């Protein structure tokens, strides 16, 4: 039932790690960067400002150069994610990072000159017809004016990152991807990779779930020295960056990148926490459905009925594409290309990165999706989720490399929407009460994981960064305490967190790769629940507006894009609107359970 043999074909980027085109691109980009510097250095931050046409010409050249530089690094990253074991994969990551830093440092002056330009001449350029296409990009860069250092300092930070934060992130990926966890199942000892082990937490057999939880803990504990060192180093590195760049809060840089203010984020998190009673109610219901006296952390994702059939890869493909087609045939056609043209790597295997992601790559190519598909119903939702990202990224390519990627606050819009489309289709098809309850419980748990758990992860990060800055280097046990405290706030007395759970911060990549990413999941889920209500009211009239939203990519601020479809995220009541459907699902589950009993 798994996706054996379903691996992506990266030839649309390069034919292989030794492809001469890869090295030719790096050499050409290096030469182009030197020519760009010779032509444009000293021409932007001038007394009366540069001519808009001059800036537009520079941006066209810079965008093409940036894409040519990024293409080899993106390819190396995908190759490495698919299999961390070959030394040449890691070597290519290191090479492309070093060459990329060299090229970026040669053209760095342009952004710095633009940021330093006085406001009035900058405004004239931004509002000109010549720079219309790049208007948001130019305006966004200037937001970093208070946090930008001198050119020599910026160059040093860029180059040192390859042996600093980027190196520790790579070490984390290689460690977790290479780990095999020893677990005993039905009297037989097995060595499972991370993806296969985590899949057991969804098993109907409690003994298997408990064994998987213990094996995960044992594996993380055995590697605690390295993992704890990585976390301490990266959190301290973040603190140094904040000090050097004059950010007054550990989350400030993320907020700026997300084009959102701290008050809106806090309103989101506070609203989710205030509505957390729905989590307690649901898990108390689930405990009764499972017939347990105590619901432990490893029971959270147990199926409420043990006879749920596995879903083969072909069936998953057909279901997701049909659900997308229910909404928009055009959206389904784009998603179908991921399957037909091998843009997906779905086979679980040793050496492959755990979890799932969609990589936007470059505007002249297309996105690639990585999942670890084991045939469980939740895996179908993961495929729907990542394909939503992929469709979003594919449609936004027309905005060009500099503006195709949206802020993280909008990045989950299509992914969560894709999950809702699949859920709705399954719901319409289901007439058996037990199966409907199982489907509903699965959706509730996924929603909890996307909203309440991600807010708890953000609170953990806040506590982690604060403790590291106040107390110095943290022991693994201290990090575990912070982790338990943040998670206990979500579950209350409805779930008992074991001592083993105190180690589970150690495998989550967001803390390593993208500090404070996690609140964007909560933002995206509640946003989509609101958008889905609009879709239900408006029907087909909503579809073109939604597709336009996706195609806009990062060419406008999130608030501007959302205003066009009638959403104002600055209003606290907006988040309550997103929370109501969650309560409705839990109430429906309780009613179904009562009827069945």
């Amino acid at each position: 039932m798994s996706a054996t043999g379903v691996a992506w074909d990266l030839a649309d980027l390069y034919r292989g790690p030794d492809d001469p085109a890869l090295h030719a691109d790096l050499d050409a980009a290096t030469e182009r960067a030197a020519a760009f510097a010779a032509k444009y250095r000293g021409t932007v931050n001038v007394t009366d400002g540069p001519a808009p046409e001059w800036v537009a010409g520079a941006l066209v050249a810079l965008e093409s150069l940036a894409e040519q530089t990024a293409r080899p690094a993106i390819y190396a990253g995908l190759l490495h994610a698919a299999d961390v074991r070959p030394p040449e994969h890691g070597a290519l990551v290191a090479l492309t990072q070093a060459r990329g830093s060299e090229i970026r440092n040669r053209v760095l002056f342009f952004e710095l000159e633009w940021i330093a330009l006085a406001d009035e001449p900058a405004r004239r350029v931004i509002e000109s017809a010549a720079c219309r296409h790049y208007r948001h990009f130019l305006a966004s860069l200037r937001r970093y004016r208070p946090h930008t250092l001198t050119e020599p300092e910026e160059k040093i930070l860029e180059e040192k990152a390859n042996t600093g934060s980027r190196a520790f992130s790579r070490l984390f990926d290689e460690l977790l991807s290479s780990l095999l966890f020893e677990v005993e199942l039905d009297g037989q000892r097995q060595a499972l990779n991370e993806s296969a082990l985590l899949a057991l937490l969804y098993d109907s057999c409690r003994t298997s779930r408990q064994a998987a939880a213990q094996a995960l803990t044992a594996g993380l504990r055995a590697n605690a020295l390295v993992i704890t060192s990585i976390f301490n180093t990266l959190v301290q590195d973040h603190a140094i960056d904040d000090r050097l760049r004059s950010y007054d809060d550990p989350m400030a840089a993320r907020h700026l990148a997300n084009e959102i203010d701290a008050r809106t984020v806090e309103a989101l998190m506070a609203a989710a926490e205030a509505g957390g009673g729905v989590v307690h109610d649901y898990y108390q219901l689930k405990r009764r459905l499972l017939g347990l006296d105590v619901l432990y952390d490893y029971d959270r994702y147990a199926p409420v009925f043990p006879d749920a059939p596995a879903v083969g890869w072909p069936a998953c493909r057909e279901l997701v594409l049909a659900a997308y087609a229910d909404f928009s045939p055009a959206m389904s056609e784009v998603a179908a290309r991921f399957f037909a043209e091998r843009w997906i790597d779905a086979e679980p295997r040793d050496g492959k990165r755990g979890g799932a992601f969609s990589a936007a790559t470059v505007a002249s190519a297309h996105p690639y999706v990585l999942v670890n598909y084991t045939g469980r119903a939740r895996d179908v939702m993961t495929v729907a989720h990542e394909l939503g990202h992929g469709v979003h990224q594919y449609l936004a390519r027309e905005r060009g490399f500099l503006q195709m990627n949206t802020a993280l606050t909008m990045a989950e819009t299509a992914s969560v929407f894709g999950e809702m489309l699949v859920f709705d289709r399954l719901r319409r098809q289901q007439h058996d009460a037990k199966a409907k309850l199982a489907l509903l419980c699965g959706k509730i748990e996924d929603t909890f994981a996307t909203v309440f758990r991600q807010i708890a992860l953000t609170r953990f990060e806040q506590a982690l960064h604060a403790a590291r800055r106040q107390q110095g280097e943290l022991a693994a046990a201290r990090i575990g305490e912070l982790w338990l405290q943040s998670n206990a706030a979500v579950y209350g007395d409805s779930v008992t967190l074991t001592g083993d759970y105190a180690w589970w911060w150690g495998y989550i990549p967001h803390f390593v790769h993208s500090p404070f990413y996690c609140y964007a999941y909560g933002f995206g889920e509640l946003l989509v629940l609101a958008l889905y209500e609009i879709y239900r009211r408006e029907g087909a009239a909503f579809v073109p507006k939604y597709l336009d939203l996706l195609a806009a990519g990062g060419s406008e601020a999130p608030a501007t894009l959302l205003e066009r479809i009638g959403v104002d995220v600055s209003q606290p009541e907006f988040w309550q609107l997103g929370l109501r459907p969650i309560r409705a699902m839990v109430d429906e589950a309780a009613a179904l359970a009562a009827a069945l009993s």
Side-chain angles (χ1 to χ4, degrees):
M1 285 297 180
S2 65
T4 302
V6 179
W8 54 28
D9 179 3
L10 300 179
D12 288 342
L13 295 174
Y14 297 104
R15 293 193 302 272
D18 297 324
D19 188 345
L22 186 152
H23 300 280
D25 275 344
L26 290 172
D27 291 341
T30 302
E31 294 177 5
R32 292 176 65 193
F36 183 91
K39 181 175 182 178
Y40 290 104
R41 182 180 283 278
T43 68
V44 178
N45 185 21
V46 292
T47 304
D48 295 323
E53 294 76 13
W54 183 254
V55 175
L59 288 171
V60 170
L62 185 66
E63 183 165 52
S64 174
L65 172 59
E67 178 164 329
Q68 189 175 39
T69 305
R71 194 183 193 103
I74 290 167
Y75 172 80
L78 294 175
L79 200 67
H80 190 251
D83 192 351
V84 304
R85 296 171 300 180
E88 57 267 28
H89 290 183
L92 190 62
V93 169
L95 171 68
T96 56
Q97 284 181 347
R99 293 292 300 276
S101 292
E102 176 190 350
I103 295 164
R104 284 189 294 273
N105 275 345
R106 291 195 177 193
V107 300
L108 175 63
F109 73 88
F110 181 84
E111 290 188 7
L112 298 181
E113 286 193 31
W114 170 249
I115 290 170
L117 182 64
D119 288 340
E120 183 53 30
R123 182 191 62 78
R124 289 197 297 269
V125 172
I126 291 170
E127 295 179 359
S128 69
C131 291
R132 183 187 195 94
H133 176 71
Y134 296 104
R135 186 167 295 166
H136 184 63
F137 175 75
L138 289 170
S140 295
L141 282 180
R142 291 184 63 81
R143 296 179 299 121
Y144 289 90
R145 194 172 190 178
H147 310 292
T148 302
L149 307 178
T150 64
E151 185 176 350
E153 290 169 327
E154 292 287 355
K155 285 182 173 180
I156 291 170
L157 288 177
E158 168 62 31
E159 195 164 349
K160 288 289 287 181
N162 293 324
T163 53
S165 59
R166 291 171 193 154
F168 278 96
S169 294
R170 174 185 159 191
L171 174 61
F172 177 84
D173 286 346
E174 292 182 349
L175 175 64
L176 268 293
S177 298
S178 63
L179 282 184
L180 292 177
F181 299 86
E182 295 287 335
V183 59
E184 185 170 326
L185 299 172
D186 299 325
Q188 300 291 321
R189 294 199 66 78
Q190 300 181 33
L192 301 179
N193 62 25
E194 179 192 338
S195 296
L197 186 76
L198 293 177
L200 283 175
L201 295 176
Y202 297 82
D203 200 275
S204 58
C205 175
R206 196 182 203 194
T207 303
S208 296
R209 296 195 304 271
Q210 186 176 20
Q214 291 171 345
L216 177 61
T217 301
L220 295 174
R221 183 184 284 137
N223 291 275
L225 179 65
V226 177
I227 295 173
T228 305
S229 178
I230 291 171
F231 270 65
N232 271 295
T233 299
L234 290 177
V235 171
Q236 181 61 10
D237 183 78
H238 188 90
I240 293 170
D241 277 350
D242 284 350
R243 174 172 55 80
L244 294 176
R245 298 189 179 282
S246 302
Y247 287 114
D248 59 4
D249 183 88
M251 294 179 73
R254 177 62 65 199
H255 295 336
L256 192 63
N258 284 347
E259 300 187 73
I260 194 170
D261 62 86
R263 284 182 298 179
T264 300
V265 174
E266 185 56 38
L268 156 70
M269 297 203 296
E273 289 165 337
V278 70
V279 178
H280 306 166
D281 292 346
Y282 171 75
Y283 280 114
Q284 287 166 355
L285 169 66
K286 182 164 188 176
R287 178 183 58 76
R288 295 193 296 272
L289 285 170
L290 294 175
L292 300 175
D293 294 327
V294 179
L295 193 75
Y296 289 107
D297 46 67
Y298 53 78
D299 295 319
R300 286 171 300 159
Y301 302 121
V304 293
F305 299 111
D307 54 353
V311 182
W313 180 250
C316 169
R317 179 187 65 234
E318 296 308 315
L319 172 58
V320 172
L321 294 181
Y324 276 34
D326 289 341
F327 177 74
S328 163
M331 191 171 173
S332 182
E333 288 169 11
V334 173
R337 296 190 65 182
F338 283 78
F339 294 97
E341 300 180 41
R342 293 181 60 195
W343 299 351
I344 302 178
D345 195 305
E347 175 187 51
R349 56 182 177 270
D350 293 346
K352 180 179 175 180
R353 177 174 165 177
F357 66 77
S358 179
T361 74
V362 292
S364 59
H366 54 78
Y368 282 97
V369 163
L370 180 145
V371 296
N372 284 274
Y373 191 84
T374 61
R376 298 181 185 277
R378 189 172 185 271
D379 291 344
V380 178
M381 291 298 182
T382 300
V383 172
H385 181 103
E386 297 305 335
L387 277 177
H389 280 306
V391 171
H392 192 173
Q393 293 159 346
Y394 183 89
L395 294 175
R397 294 174 311 139
E398 297 300 318
R399 299 296 173 173
F401 185 72
L402 295 180
Q403 296 185 116
M404 67 183 197
N405 292 318
T406 184
L408 290 182
T409 41
M410 294 292 291
E412 301 300 327
T413 306
S415 56
V416 177
F417 203 93
E419 289 186 62
M420 286 297 298
L421 292 172
V422 171
F423 173 68
D424 253 9
R425 183 175 180 83
L426 287 171
R427 201 176 194 180
R428 290 194 303 270
Q429 294 175 344
Q430 196 54 255
H431 302 293
D432 177 75
K434 285 178 63 176
K436 184 178 290 187
L437 178 57
L439 175 67
L440 189 58
C441 288
K443 182 57 182 173
I444 290 169
E445 289 162 19
D446 285 345
T447 302
F448 284 178
T450 310
V451 179
F452 304 102
R453 182 170 179 269
Q454 297 298 334
I455 298 305
L457 266 54
T458 304
R459 292 299 191 200
F460 163 71
E461 278 193 278
Q462 287 179 319
L464 176 66
H465 284 256
R468 180 66 175 86
R469 295 183 185 194
Q470 295 165 8
Q471 302 167 20
E473 189 161 303
L474 303 174
R478 177 59 181 145
I479 299 177
E481 289 174 3
L482 299 174
W483 172 256
L484 284 178
Q485 289 167 8
S486 301
N487 282 270
V490 177
Y491 301 111
D493 60 2
S494 64
V495 176
T496 298
L497 301 179
T498 64
D500 281 352
Y501 193 71
W503 291 90
W504 288 19
W505 50 271
Y507 76 93
I508 298 178
H510 297 83
F511 303 150
V512 172
H513 294 291
S514 306
F516 299 103
Y517 183 120
C518 293
Y519 74 75
Y521 283 110
F523 186 105
E525 180 77 29
L526 296 182
L527 171 62
V528 165
L529 288 173
L531 291 179
Y532 215 75
E533 289 304 309
I534 297 173
Y535 166 51
R536 283 172 170 148
R537 289 199 307 267
E538 297 185 2
F542 176 79
V543 176
K545 293 189 293 184
Y546 179 76
L547 295 180
D548 285 346
L549 175 71
L550 301 186
S555 62
E556 295 280 1
T560 303
L561 293 173
L562 292 171
E563 283 172 6
R564 294 176 185 169
I565 53 176
V567 172
D568 183 358
V569 296
S570 67
Q571 299 301 314
E573 53 268 25
F574 166 77
W575 302 115
Q576 295 299 328
L577 179 65
L579 287 165
R580 284 180 205 137
I582 302 175
R583 167 54 73 180
M585 285 193 292
V586 172
D587 289 345
E588 183 182 351
L592 278 171
L596 284 169
S597 65

